[in-house]
Amino acid sequence: MPGKLKAKIVAGRHLPVMDRASDLTDAFVEVKFGNTTFKTDVCHKSLNPQWNSEWFKFEVDDEDLQDEPLQVTVLDHDTYSANDAIGKVYIDIDPLLCSEAASVISGWFPIYDTIHGIRGEINVLVKVELFNDLNRFRQSSCGVKFFCTTSIPRCYRAVMVHGFVEELVVNEDPEYQWIDRIRTPRASNEARQRLISLMSGELQRKIGLKVLEMGGNAVVGYLQCFDLEGESGLVVRAIGTACTLDKLSSGSAPNTNTHMHPNTAPASNACNSPSKDGKEPVFGEDLTSSSGPPTPFRALPTTSSSPPPFSPSKPCSRQSSSSDTDLSLTPKTGKNTCFFYLQEFPFFTLTSFPPGFLVHVGGVVSARSVKLLDRIHNPDEPETRDAWWEEIRQEIKSHAKALGCHAVVGYSESTSICEEVCILSASGTAAILNPRYMREGSQLELEPSPPSCGFCHIPYDELNMPFPAQLTYCYLCRRQKVPDVLFTTIDLPPEAAVTGKGCLIQARLCRLKKKAQGEVNATAISNLLPFMEYELHTQLMNKLKLRSMNSLFGLHIQISVGENMLLGLASATGVYLTALPAPGGIQIAGKTPGELSNEHHILTIQKRINDTIAKNKELYQINPPELTEEVVGSPIPEPRQRSRLFRSHSESSDEVSELDLSHGKKDAFVLEIDDTDAVEDIHSLLTDAPTPTGFYSCNTEIMPGINNWTSGVQMFTSVRVFRLSNANLTNQGLNKIFTDLCENLLKSFYFKLRSMIPCCLCQLNFTVAVPEEELIQVTVTAVAMTFDKDQTQEKTADKPPTKGGSETEEQLQFPLELCADSSSANCQPTSKISAASVDYGSFADRCSTWLELLRLKAHTMRRGSVKTISSLERCSPLPEGRSRSLRSSRSFGGSSVTVVKMTPLSFLPGTRIIKYLGIINMFFIRETTSLREEGGVSGFLHTFIAEVFSMVRAHVAALGGNAVVSYSMKECMLMENPNKNQAQCLINVSGDAVICVRETDQEPTPSTTNIGHTSASATDEAT
Amino acid sequence: MTMELDVFVGNTTIMDEEVYQLWLDGYTVNDAVKVRMDGGVMEECEASADVLLSDTMDQYRTFQMCERLLHSPSKLGNQLLFQIPPHRQAMLIERYYTFDDAFVREVLGKKLSKGTKKDLDDIGAKTGVTLKSCRRQFDNFKRVFKVVEELKGPLVENIRHHFLLSDKLARDYAAIVFFANNRFETGKRKLQYLTFQDFAFCAGQLISNWTVGAVGEPADHQRSFRFYMDVDLDKEFLQELKELKVLITDKDLLDQHKSLVCTALRGKTKAFNEMETNFKNLSRGLVNIAAKLTNTKDVRDFFIDLVEKFIEPCRSDRWTAADIRLYLTHYNNSAHILDTFKHQVVWDRYMGVVKSCIFKMYHD
């Protein structure tokens, strides 16, 4: 299906002065696609040139359309010497290839230069005409929709969920090619940006092909990552969930009809072969099972070398190295799982599901593997990397099986690279999905399982448990068994009954490591991994108990490797699930229980812990309904069950002595305070500052217990780098520094966002890195959302929060200033756009006009029922995206900038998404050789992040959108050299561009439907 | 905990008005943190000094990045780098261009040149305004001056349009530009009692009555642009003012004028005697000021002349403000009755402004 790409360069503004003599610029533009380049005329002596070029037409294959970005380069004409580049704009054409997404790209784009940052703006118009061509052997996958959102997108219905798709492509990193020695940094950066853009285009196309093969039409939960492996190359990999989606007519309830498709075509994965290096994972350890807390949490670090640091010795461990594991996922429970047999990897990147889809949740499954990077010799056959991931996924699969589950949901993969060592990690939640969803039209015959507690019920066999868990009968239905704690990587299911509110729980850990090379280094790291996982898990467990909660959602454990240390950060949202038993307290004991002085000390600590628990109960409003103690079940928990703080393994080898773990068997029920580690633990437990009043925080989509969001939304990114000054740091010292770093970040957020109170920080996403030997970098992206305080007292247990449903109630009281004051919109011409009368010169204006019109309609439509508040009412610092309509500078014809909201969530409170315009996936490099002049490394990064935001907003606005949902910053890699006055930073962001309108009434009004409709038709007409 | 790097970037740029003001006032980060701590913001959100420092640094950085845009406020509206709601943009601009009356009083009427800029630290020390803030204010004056200097059309409108300022602030800037352009002397000791607002009022009067722009755009387009502007006084009008001299050179006219005024005033004020005795002196003073305005030097001395020739004599005779009002009204009106006096239009244009200026300036 070849196509014709058309581009038109309209105008520029705010260009930099390129000619010092005249203080002006002679700008012209090169438009490049593939190997074809067009040029505009030179617009002499102007900082606001009007090119109004002809339509540049590129006739290309759709394969190229998917892979290549349109490259717009603005240059300064110079008669005597070479023309100077001002900057570039890369425009991803992909959204135009899908009929349901955008139909035209039109707007002002920041002109970006990797050395100077944003230098003015350029107005560009892009369109694509696709010709129908039913070639069976086509290489393109135009029309497959991509969504970053990890749930079924708001205005779609899932007809079928096909399953896991993955792909990776590799290439040489231009930065490490020989040519890099002779080219300028700018050329090198641009080569890299272009290459990555090409690679992600190619990756997306290949994934699309797989989806088409499976019979789907969309990828949901699309997660693309870059591995900059340095010398050994550059890997771009992606995973997602293939679905068949149906567009909903606006307003009807989404997510109700989902059918699993008994898919007979497994993902076309060429790499089924076992790992080529022949090194099998040599040890597997269910760390938590022998003596650990009784949670269904399994981790398996594998390594490419080294003997096991301690021998597996558990009564119930699943020795799961890929050699001895039966990989067919036959759940022991013997449920109907025929569909799932057929899939190689029954993985789902989704984190929230249509009701009834998720039957039971087993627990978190994770696997890590340490690899030594080698040069990728043949980019066309990235088999090694494929095999690595294959291995990890097999691990995950076997873990899931061990938990009696046939599927893994909330699945994600990540890497951490330091020099030639790479840690591959994957994690997800073992689950049983409803097999009845496999046939169409069967959603009516849903099993009559209690909707609010079903997913908590254990999927594994009670008599043959994978780990020692305390089982009780479900506190809600009293019929099925539930574990005493539940860890998951997914979002809280909307139907779940929750007591009180949730909160962010983090476990943080630093471990020193000797500097080493190659195999030795890899061995050292893989030896450390299990201890770190264990420690993190213990911390999570204790903090959970301290907050009197019994489950974790959205658990994400990141282990980051540096030259001389490993950093571990686990984040999750703690919740009290009503169906699960109340957690026990924490008991402290001394090592030598005879000494009086000690006794006193212990008592004080115990009191502090008990006080904190009591305080937290109040803070998070955890008042579980009093139950008659008729709990039956294998081992029946005591009413006040003690938590276990384990300081010991049943066995440990000599090698671990440097890890500061105490040896030998001890009483597992008590925390011994003579142990320095334990003192540390207690300390870190108690120093976690509670969130200030008016604030809540979580790392999931929605905050359990809050369901009345108002319109205030502020997305932010914060980066901190701490330099370790002290040469001889201990593990404890490091831990303290790392913990303080994270805590202080949170405190800063609360302070900065204090004007939004009452407010909740959602999807708090922490990323840690060790960019250099003595640096710790923490990057956080999150969104602060306001909510209506008065309604929070509502008993939410009876009324489960739904992400979309309850937003409407508060609408009447908190109207969203989504769009402009009508005056500005009013003065736009209100004529409808007909193709015959399109004057291309004013096309851009017209496009913005219909958008404006759309907003105006939305505005007037809701005016009847909603009181509008003045946009001036709120003062500093303000929530995002109030009214727009700046009619300032007359010099540019009263143009105004569209407000684009950004959020890491899949929705914007108080609004309805009426259209998905396509995926945003952008990669930028910024470099400076004048670090001091740019305000140091903070000034440099601050500017860069602001620039990235503005480029994302500009692209979304050009697509006709007004928001980005499921936004995430996947990479923020900073390298600095203050002595040379240099710094370089790479940022990768992604999200879904959408048009959303303010939600007005409970039931969708016909007028809203019309707006959605007219917007689409208007666009079609315009093209 | 000192950070190697510490940034916070919101999709909507977060700006605290209090910190913005501290930044504008030229506080260093550390001083600003101290002020904020004293202000009790810490208790608001259980913040620590670290948090406050980090926040302040962040905001300062944001303001510095915005400063470039604030230099041409129209850019702020359609730039893409910062997403700032319109009303916040207006606040940023308005505050950035707001100045200290104490500071502006010192530079009012001075040439906005490098020479003056060098004296800023003295001015800063004298007025208690930080040097950084002085520089900002001075640069603002200069920037506005440079932009509107060459523009035709009404001065206030031009300023408001190009700098997106409120009407009040635009008027103040018009006064500053007008004073700087005509180099009115305001620094003399005798003028020290006058505030900036006094002068700003007078400037407004002069701009709207004595400039070319004041009489509207002339029909013939042969004159150069420069003449349509109201930055400069209307040269023709200044020439015509010479004709008023007849009021004091013609003895009959002077006597006639005096008797008309005295008749009207008699019995209406306690200061009647002083008025009668001083009439000729005062009239000579005012008319001489008018006649001399063709000289640039005398234009500069306009305000000092008003004080010396009129306000001081009246003040030494203890005239009240009402006396002044009464006297000047009759002084102005009586001239219309003089049958041999033919320059009624010029007289009114002159006296209208002088009258209101004196009313404004006649205080302690």
Coordinates of all heavy atoms in Angstrom, one line a residue, chain B residues 133-184:
Chain B
S133 N 17.7 44.6 41.6 CA 16.4 45.1 41.3 C 16.5 46.5 40.6 O 15.8 46.7 39.7 CB 15.6 45.3 42.6 OG 14.4 45.8 42.4
C134 N 17.5 47.3 41.0 CA 17.7 48.6 40.4 C 18.0 48.4 38.9 O 17.5 49.0 38.0 CB 18.9 49.3 41.0 SG 18.6 50.0 42.6
R135 N 18.9 47.4 38.6 CA 19.3 47.1 37.2 C 18.1 46.7 36.4 O 17.9 47.1 35.3 CB 20.3 46.0 37.2 CG 21.6 46.4 37.8 CD 22.8 45.8 36.9 NE 24.0 46.3 37.4 CZ 24.9 45.7 38.2 NH1 24.6 44.4 38.6 NH2 26.0 46.2 38.6
R136 N 17.3 45.8 37.0 CA 16.1 45.3 36.3 C 15.2 46.5 36.0 O 14.8 46.6 34.8 CB 15.3 44.3 37.2 CG 14.1 43.7 36.4 CD 13.1 43.0 37.4 NE 12.1 43.9 37.8 CZ 11.8 44.3 39.0 NH1 12.5 43.8 40.0 NH2 10.8 45.1 39.3
Q137 N 14.9 47.3 37.0 CA 14.0 48.5 36.7 C 14.6 49.4 35.7 O 13.9 49.9 34.8 CB 13.8 49.2 38.1 CG 13.1 48.3 39.1 CD 12.8 49.0 40.4 OE1 12.5 50.2 40.4 NE2 12.9 48.3 41.5
F138 N 15.9 49.7 35.8 CA 16.5 50.6 34.9 C 16.5 50.0 33.5 O 16.1 50.7 32.5 CB 17.9 50.8 35.3 CG 18.6 51.9 34.5 CD1 18.4 53.2 34.7 CD2 19.5 51.5 33.5 CE1 19.0 54.2 33.9 CE2 20.1 52.4 32.7 CZ 19.9 53.8 32.9
D139 N 16.8 48.7 33.4 CA 16.7 48.1 32.0 C 15.3 48.1 31.5 O 15.2 48.2 30.2 CB 17.3 46.7 32.1 CG 18.8 46.7 32.3 OD1 19.4 47.7 32.1 OD2 19.4 45.6 32.8
N140 N 14.4 47.9 32.3 CA 13.0 48.0 31.8 C 12.7 49.3 31.2 O 12.1 49.4 30.2 CB 12.0 47.7 33.0 CG 11.9 46.2 33.3 OD1 12.3 45.4 32.6 ND2 11.3 45.9 34.5
F141 N 13.1 50.4 32.0 CA 12.8 51.8 31.5 C 13.5 51.9 30.1 O 12.9 52.4 29.1 CB 13.4 52.8 32.4 CG 12.9 52.8 33.8 CD1 13.6 53.3 34.9 CD2 11.6 52.2 34.1 CE1 13.1 53.3 36.1 CE2 11.1 52.2 35.3 CZ 11.8 52.8 36.4
K142 N 14.7 51.4 30.0 CA 15.5 51.6 28.8 C 14.8 50.8 27.7 O 14.7 51.3 26.5 CB 16.9 51.1 29.1 CG 18.0 51.9 28.4 CD 19.3 51.4 28.9 CE 20.2 51.3 27.8 NZ 21.5 50.9 28.2
R143 N 14.4 49.6 28.0 CA 13.8 48.8 26.9 C 12.5 49.4 26.4 O 12.3 49.5 25.2 CB 13.6 47.4 27.5 CG 13.3 46.3 26.5 CD 13.1 45.0 27.1 NE 14.2 44.7 28.0 CZ 14.0 44.5 29.4 NH1 12.8 44.7 29.9 NH2 15.0 44.2 30.1
V144 N 11.7 49.8 27.3 CA 10.4 50.4 26.9 C 10.7 51.7 26.1 O 10.1 51.9 25.0 CB 9.6 50.7 28.1 CG1 8.3 51.5 27.7 CG2 9.2 49.5 28.9
F145 N 11.7 52.4 26.6 CA 12.0 53.7 25.9 C 12.4 53.4 24.5 O 12.0 54.0 23.5 CB 13.2 54.3 26.6 CG 13.5 55.7 26.1 CD1 12.9 56.8 26.5 CD2 14.6 55.8 25.2 CE1 13.2 58.1 26.0 CE2 14.9 57.0 24.6 CZ 14.3 58.2 25.0
K146 N 13.3 52.4 24.3 CA 13.9 52.1 23.0 C 12.8 51.6 22.0 O 12.8 52.0 20.8 CB 14.9 51.0 23.1 CG 16.3 51.5 23.2 CD 17.3 50.4 23.2 CE 18.1 50.3 21.9 NZ 19.2 49.3 21.9
V147 N 11.9 50.8 22.5 CA 10.8 50.3 21.7 C 9.9 51.4 21.2 O 9.5 51.5 20.0 CB 10.1 49.2 22.4 CG1 8.8 48.8 21.6 CG2 10.9 47.9 22.5
V148 N 9.4 52.2 22.1 CA 8.3 53.2 21.8 C 8.9 54.5 21.2 O 8.1 55.2 20.6 CB 7.4 53.5 23.0 CG1 6.7 52.2 23.4 CG2 8.2 54.1 24.1
E149 N 10.2 54.7 21.4 CA 10.8 55.9 20.9 C 10.5 56.2 19.4 O 10.1 57.3 19.1 CB 12.3 55.8 21.1 CG 13.1 57.0 20.9 CD 14.6 56.7 21.0 OE1 15.0 55.5 20.7 OE2 15.3 57.6 21.4
E150 N 10.6 55.2 18.7 CA 10.4 55.3 17.2 C 9.0 55.0 16.7 O 8.8 55.0 15.5 CB 11.4 54.4 16.5 CG 12.9 54.6 16.8 CD 13.4 56.0 16.4 OE1 12.9 56.4 15.3 OE2 14.2 56.6 17.1
L151 N 8.1 54.7 17.6 CA 6.8 54.4 17.2 C 5.9 55.6 17.1 O 6.0 56.5 17.9 CB 6.2 53.3 18.1 CG 6.8 52.0 18.1 CD1 6.2 51.1 19.2 CD2 6.6 51.3 16.8
K152 N 5.0 55.5 16.0 CA 4.0 56.6 16.0 C 2.8 56.1 16.8 O 2.7 55.0 17.1 CB 3.7 56.9 14.6 CG 3.1 55.8 13.8 CD 2.5 56.3 12.5 CE 1.7 55.2 11.8 NZ 0.9 55.8 10.7
G153 N 1.9 57.1 16.9 CA 0.7 56.7 17.7 C 0.8 57.0 19.1 O 1.8 57.5 19.6
P154 N -0.3 56.9 19.8 CA -0.4 57.3 21.2 C 0.6 56.4 22.1 O 0.7 55.2 22.0 CB -1.8 57.0 21.6 CG -2.5 56.3 20.5 CD -1.6 56.3 19.3
L155 N 1.3 57.2 22.9 CA 2.4 56.6 23.7 C 1.9 55.5 24.6 O 2.4 54.4 24.7 CB 3.1 57.7 24.5 CG 4.3 57.3 25.3 CD1 5.4 56.7 24.5 CD2 4.8 58.6 26.0
V156 N 0.9 55.8 25.4 CA 0.3 54.8 26.4 C -0.1 53.6 25.7 O 0.2 52.4 26.1 CB -0.8 55.5 27.2 CG1 -1.4 54.4 28.2 CG2 -0.3 56.7 27.9
E157 N -0.8 53.8 24.6 CA -1.3 52.6 23.8 C -0.2 51.8 23.3 O -0.2 50.5 23.4 CB -2.1 53.1 22.6 CG -3.5 52.7 22.4 CD -3.9 51.5 23.2 OE1 -3.6 50.3 22.7 OE2 -4.5 51.6 24.3
N158 N 0.8 52.4 22.8 CA 2.0 51.7 22.3 C 2.6 50.8 23.4 O 3.0 49.7 23.2 CB 3.1 52.7 21.8 CG 2.7 53.2 20.4 OD1 1.9 52.6 19.7 ND2 3.3 54.3 20.0
I159 N 2.8 51.4 24.5 CA 3.4 50.7 25.6 C 2.6 49.5 26.1 O 3.0 48.4 26.2 CB 3.7 51.6 26.8 CG1 4.7 52.7 26.5 CG2 4.1 50.8 28.1 CD1 4.9 53.7 27.5
R160 N 1.3 49.8 26.1 CA 0.4 48.7 26.6 C 0.4 47.6 25.6 O 0.4 46.4 25.9 CB -1.0 49.3 26.8 CG -1.9 48.4 27.7 CD -3.1 49.1 28.2 NE -3.8 49.7 27.0 CZ -4.7 50.6 27.2 NH1 -5.0 51.1 28.4 NH2 -5.3 51.1 26.1
H161 N 0.4 47.9 24.3 CA 0.4 46.9 23.3 C 1.6 46.1 23.3 O 1.6 44.9 23.2 CB 0.2 47.7 21.9 CG 0.3 46.8 20.7 ND1 -0.8 46.5 20.0 CD2 1.4 46.1 20.2 CE1 -0.4 45.7 19.0 NE2 0.9 45.5 19.1
H162 N 2.8 46.8 23.3 CA 4.0 46.0 23.2 C 4.5 45.3 24.4 O 5.2 44.3 24.3 CB 5.1 47.0 22.7 CG 5.1 47.2 21.2 ND1 5.8 46.4 20.4 CD2 4.4 48.1 20.5 CE1 5.5 46.8 19.1 NE2 4.7 47.8 19.2
F163 N 4.1 45.8 25.5 CA 4.5 45.2 26.8 C 3.4 44.5 27.6 O 3.6 44.0 28.7 CB 5.3 46.2 27.6 CG 6.6 46.6 27.0 CD1 6.7 47.7 26.1 CD2 7.7 45.8 27.2 CE1 7.9 48.0 25.5 CE2 8.9 46.1 26.5 CZ 9.0 47.2 25.7
L164 N 2.2 44.6 27.0 CA 1.0 43.9 27.6 C 0.9 44.3 29.1 O 0.6 43.4 30.0 CB 1.2 42.4 27.5 CG 1.5 41.9 26.1 CD1 1.7 40.4 26.1 CD2 0.3 42.2 25.1
L165 N 1.0 45.6 29.4 CA 0.9 46.1 30.7 C -0.5 46.6 31.0 O -1.3 46.8 30.1 CB 1.9 47.2 31.0 CG 3.4 46.9 30.8 CD1 4.2 48.1 31.0 CD2 3.8 45.7 31.7
S166 N -0.8 46.7 32.3 CA -2.1 47.3 32.7 C -2.1 48.7 32.3 O -1.1 49.3 32.1 CB -2.3 47.1 34.2 OG -1.4 47.9 34.9
D167 N -3.3 49.3 32.3 CA -3.4 50.7 31.9 C -2.6 51.6 32.8 O -1.8 52.5 32.4 CB -4.9 51.1 31.9 CG -5.1 52.5 31.3 OD1 -4.7 52.6 30.1 OD2 -5.5 53.4 32.0
K168 N -2.7 51.4 34.1 CA -2.0 52.2 35.1 C -0.5 52.1 34.9 O 0.2 53.2 34.8 CB -2.4 51.6 36.5 CG -1.6 52.2 37.6 CD -2.1 53.6 38.1 CE -1.3 54.1 39.3 NZ 0.1 54.4 39.0
L169 N 0.0 50.9 34.7 CA 1.4 50.8 34.6 C 1.9 51.4 33.3 O 3.0 52.0 33.2 CB 1.8 49.3 34.7 CG 3.3 49.0 35.0 CD1 3.7 49.7 36.3 CD2 3.5 47.5 35.2
A170 N 1.1 51.2 32.2 CA 1.5 51.7 30.9 C 1.6 53.2 31.0 O 2.5 53.9 30.4 CB 0.5 51.3 29.9
R171 N 0.7 53.8 31.8 CA 0.7 55.3 31.9 C 1.9 55.7 32.7 O 2.6 56.8 32.3 CB -0.6 55.8 32.7 CG -1.8 55.9 31.8 CD -3.0 56.3 32.5 NE -4.1 56.0 31.6 CZ -4.4 56.7 30.5 NH1 -3.7 57.8 30.2 NH2 -5.4 56.3 29.7
D172 N 2.3 55.0 33.7 CA 3.5 55.3 34.4 C 4.7 55.2 33.5 O 5.6 56.1 33.6 CB 3.7 54.4 35.6 CG 2.7 54.7 36.8 OD1 2.0 55.8 36.7 OD2 2.6 54.0 37.7
Y173 N 4.8 54.2 32.7 CA 5.9 54.1 31.8 C 5.9 55.2 30.8 O 7.0 55.7 30.4 CB 5.9 52.7 31.1 CG 6.7 51.7 31.9 CD1 6.1 50.8 32.8 CD2 8.1 51.6 31.7 CE1 6.9 49.9 33.5 CE2 8.8 50.7 32.4 CZ 8.2 49.9 33.3 OH 9.0 49.0 34.0
A174 N 4.7 55.6 30.3 CA 4.6 56.7 29.4 C 5.3 57.9 30.0 O 6.0 58.7 29.4 CB 3.2 57.0 29.0
A175 N 5.0 58.1 31.3 CA 5.5 59.3 32.0 C 7.1 59.2 32.1 O 7.8 60.2 31.8 CB 5.0 59.3 33.4
I176 N 7.5 58.0 32.4 CA 9.0 57.8 32.5 C 9.7 58.1 31.1 O 10.7 58.8 31.0 CB 9.3 56.4 33.0 CG1 8.8 56.2 34.4 CG2 10.8 56.1 32.9 CD1 8.7 54.8 34.9
V177 N 9.1 57.5 30.1 CA 9.6 57.7 28.8 C 9.6 59.2 28.4 O 10.5 59.7 27.9 CB 8.8 56.9 27.7 CG1 9.2 57.2 26.3 CG2 9.1 55.4 28.0
F178 N 8.5 59.8 28.7 CA 8.3 61.2 28.3 C 9.3 62.1 29.1 O 9.9 62.9 28.5 CB 6.9 61.6 28.7 CG 6.5 63.0 28.2 CD1 6.2 63.2 26.9 CD2 6.4 64.0 29.1 CE1 5.9 64.5 26.4 CE2 6.0 65.3 28.7 CZ 5.8 65.5 27.4
F179 N 9.5 61.8 30.3 CA 10.5 62.5 31.1 C 11.9 62.3 30.6 O 12.7 63.2 30.5 CB 10.3 62.2 32.6 CG 9.4 63.1 33.4 CD1 8.1 63.1 33.1 CD2 9.9 64.0 34.3 CE1 7.2 63.9 33.8 CE2 9.0 64.8 35.0 CZ 7.7 64.8 34.7
A180 N 12.2 61.1 30.3 CA 13.5 60.7 29.9 C 13.8 61.4 28.5 O 14.9 61.9 28.3 CB 13.7 59.2 29.8
N181 N 12.8 61.4 27.7 CA 13.0 61.9 26.3 C 13.2 63.4 26.4 O 14.0 64.0 25.7 CB 11.8 61.6 25.5 CG 12.0 62.0 24.0 OD1 13.0 61.5 23.4 ND2 11.1 62.7 23.5
N182 N 12.4 64.1 27.2 CA 12.5 65.6 27.3 C 13.5 66.1 28.4 O 13.7 67.3 28.5 CB 11.1 66.2 27.5 CG 10.3 65.9 26.3 OD1 10.4 66.5 25.3 ND2 9.3 65.0 26.5
R183 N 14.0 65.1 29.1 CA 15.0 65.4 30.1 C 14.6 66.4 31.1 O 15.3 67.3 31.5 CB 16.3 65.8 29.4 CG 16.8 64.9 28.3 CD 17.6 63.7 28.9 NE 18.7 64.2 29.6 CZ 19.9 64.7 29.1 NH1 20.0 64.7 27.8 NH2 20.9 65.1 29.8
F184 N 13.4 66.3 31.6 CA 12.9 67.3 32.6 C 13.7 67.2 33.9 O 14.0 66.0 34.3 CB 11.4 67.0 32.9 CG 10.5 67.4 31.9 CD1 9.8 66.4 31.1 CD2 10.2 68.7 31.6 CE1 8.9 66.8 30.1 CE2 9.3 69.1 30.6 CZ 8.7 68.1 29.9

